[in-house]
């Protein structure tokens, strides 16, 4: 009786797996170990980003609080560099010029890109690929080369004035980049030429993802080409419009190389931009602290304007 009672309360033996003596249940790998393994794949890109983006930004912020000429030991300046920058009227003029350039770098290219998308969408013709490559070509050219080319085109004996003479408008010819009133407009048109191809390619890529049944439904409702573009294509490329707006706005606000090569801020400061002022403070005047402070201010302006662009072009759905 005691033997039966002991056997009844003794713990059951572990069930052996078929074909061997191991347990059938294998413990899963801890999720923490799998997460650590995932970080190993991210670590190289993260190290590059920290070394070439985050650290320089933090170092610029540190230098903006110092008085330093790049050679002698630095001294603490606090927010004195920022006070001097905001008291300089050249900063406000440069910011105003950058805001004007947004019209030529962003608004007009987006409009041109949408127009070209409306004309090319759904039409397959001979040479279409060649046309797209040519229209996108300014994006793959260095802006320094673009600036040198357009400086020659805008010169007194350049192609622009030669064309105006040819069509009987020789009275309005001038050195466009040296004109006090029109230099900023002439510079902005270069940005329009550069950015229009990028906007067109973005919008064409987004339009190709739209369901063709939406166009068929619009046709059945009697919608013409314009209404199809307005109510089908335009909402379908809303995200691409946001991306194009962000990229082109940053290009306008942070422009430097194109301005430096073509006008160098002239004539009489009519094409000065914040990026050019940062270069002059750092390398011409040896004011590393002031240049860093101006770079921080420019970064804040770019983030604020880009955030506004993303807000007004957000997808309500």
């Amino acid at each position: 009786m005691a033997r039966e009672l002991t056997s009844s309360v003794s713990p059951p033996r572990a069930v052996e797996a078929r074909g061997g003596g191991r347990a059938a249940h294998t413990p899963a790998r801890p999720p923490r170990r799998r997460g650590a393994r995932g970080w190993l794949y991210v670590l190289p890109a993260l190290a590059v980003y920290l070394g070439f983006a985050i650290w320089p930004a933090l170092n610029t912020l540190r230098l903006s609080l110092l008085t330093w000429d790049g050679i002698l030991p630095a001294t603490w300046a606090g927010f004195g560099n920022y006070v001097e920058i905001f008291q300089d009227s050249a900063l406000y003029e440069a910011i105003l010029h950058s805001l004007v350039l947004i019209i030529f770098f962003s608004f007009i290219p987006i409009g041109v890109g949408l127009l070209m998308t409306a004309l090319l969408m759904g039409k397959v013709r001979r040479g279409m690929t060649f046309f797209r490559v040519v229209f996108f070509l300014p994006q793959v050219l260095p802006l320094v080369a673009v600036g040198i080319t357009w400086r020659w085109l805008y010169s007194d004996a350049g192609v622009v004035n030669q064309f105006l003479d040819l069509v009987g408008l020789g009275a309005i010819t001038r050195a466009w980049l040296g004109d006090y009133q029109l230099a900023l407009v002439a510079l902005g048109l270069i940005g329009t030429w550069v950015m229009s191809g990028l906007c067109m390619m973005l919008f064409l890529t987004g339009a190709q993802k739209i369901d063709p049944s939406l166009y068929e439904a619009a046709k059945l409702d009697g919608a013409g080409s314009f209404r199809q573009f307005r109510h089908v294509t335009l909402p379908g490329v809303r995200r691409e419009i946001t991306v194009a707006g962000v990229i082109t706005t940053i290009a306008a606000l942070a422009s430097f190389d194109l301005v430096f090569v073509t006008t160098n801020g002239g004539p009489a400061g009519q094409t000065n931009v914040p990026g050019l002022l940062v270069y002059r403070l750092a390398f011409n005047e040896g004011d590393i602290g002031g240049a860093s402070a101006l770079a921080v201010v420019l970064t804040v302006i770019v983030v604020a304007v880009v955030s506004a662009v993303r807000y007004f072009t957000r997808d309500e759905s």
Side-chain angles (χ1 to χ4, degrees), residues 17-231:
R18 296 181 181 179
R22 297 181 180 179
H25 177 70
T26 303
R29 180 179 298 175
R32 184 175 299 177
R33 181 180 299 179
R34 287 183 294 180
R37 186 176 181 180
W39 277 103
L40 292 177
Y41 293 101
V42 180
L43 189 58
L46 182 62
V48 172
Y49 184 74
L50 290 175
F52 291 93
I54 300 300
W55 167 246
L58 295 177
N59 193 41
T60 301
L61 182 61
R62 180 184 67 87
L63 291 175
S64 68
L65 303 176
L66 303 175
T67 299
W68 187 42
D69 60 357
I71 301 175
L72 299 177
T75 58
W76 179 256
F79 293 99
N81 291 326
Y82 293 93
V83 174
E84 292 181 3
I85 286 175
F86 284 108
Q87 290 178 348
D88 190 355
S89 60
L91 171 64
Y92 301 100
E93 294 177 357
I95 293 175
L96 179 61
H97 296 160
S98 294
L99 295 178
V100 173
L101 289 179
I102 291 178
I103 299 175
F104 295 94
F105 278 67
S106 184
F107 292 169
I108 298 179
I110 288 176
V112 173
L114 290 173
L115 177 61
M116 299 305 296
T117 301
L119 296 176
L120 299 177
M121 186 60 190
K123 298 179 176 62
V124 180
R125 298 176 180 175
R126 181 179 299 179
M128 188 66 66
T129 302
F130 175 78
F131 174 79
R132 293 182 180 181
V133 170
V134 171
F135 211 66
F136 189 73
L137 188 61
Q139 280 297 311
V140 301
L141 295 175
L143 285 181
V144 173
V146 171
I148 294 174
T149 303
W150 276 93
R151 187 175 63 184
W152 172 75
L153 294 175
Y154 276 138
S155 63
D156 289 329
V159 175
V160 174
N161 286 334
Q162 291 181 14
F163 175 76
L164 293 175
D165 284 330
L166 185 63
V167 297
L169 297 176
I172 65 173
T173 59
R174 66 196 68 195
W176 297 94
L177 293 176
D179 188 272
Y180 187 84
Q181 301 291 338
L182 298 177
L184 187 62
V185 175
L187 178 63
L189 291 176
I190 302 176
T192 301
W193 179 77
V194 172
M195 293 297 171
S196 294
L198 172 65
C199 295
M200 183 197 73
M201 295 300 294
L202 285 174
F203 300 155
L204 282 176
T205 302
Q208 290 173 353
K209 296 185 296 184
I210 300 176
D211 190 352
S213 61
L214 297 177
Y215 291 100
E216 296 176 0
K219 290 180 181 179
L220 292 176
D221 290 339
S225 299
F226 177 76
R227 292 183 60 187
Q228 291 180 34
F229 175 79
R230 179 182 176 184
H231 297 288

Side-chain angles (χ1 to χ4, degrees), residues 299-314:
T299 302
V300 173
I301 294 174
V302 170
V303 171
V305 175
V306 168
S307 299
V309 171
R310 295 189 60 184
Y311 176 79
F312 288 110
T313 58
R314 71 188 186 279

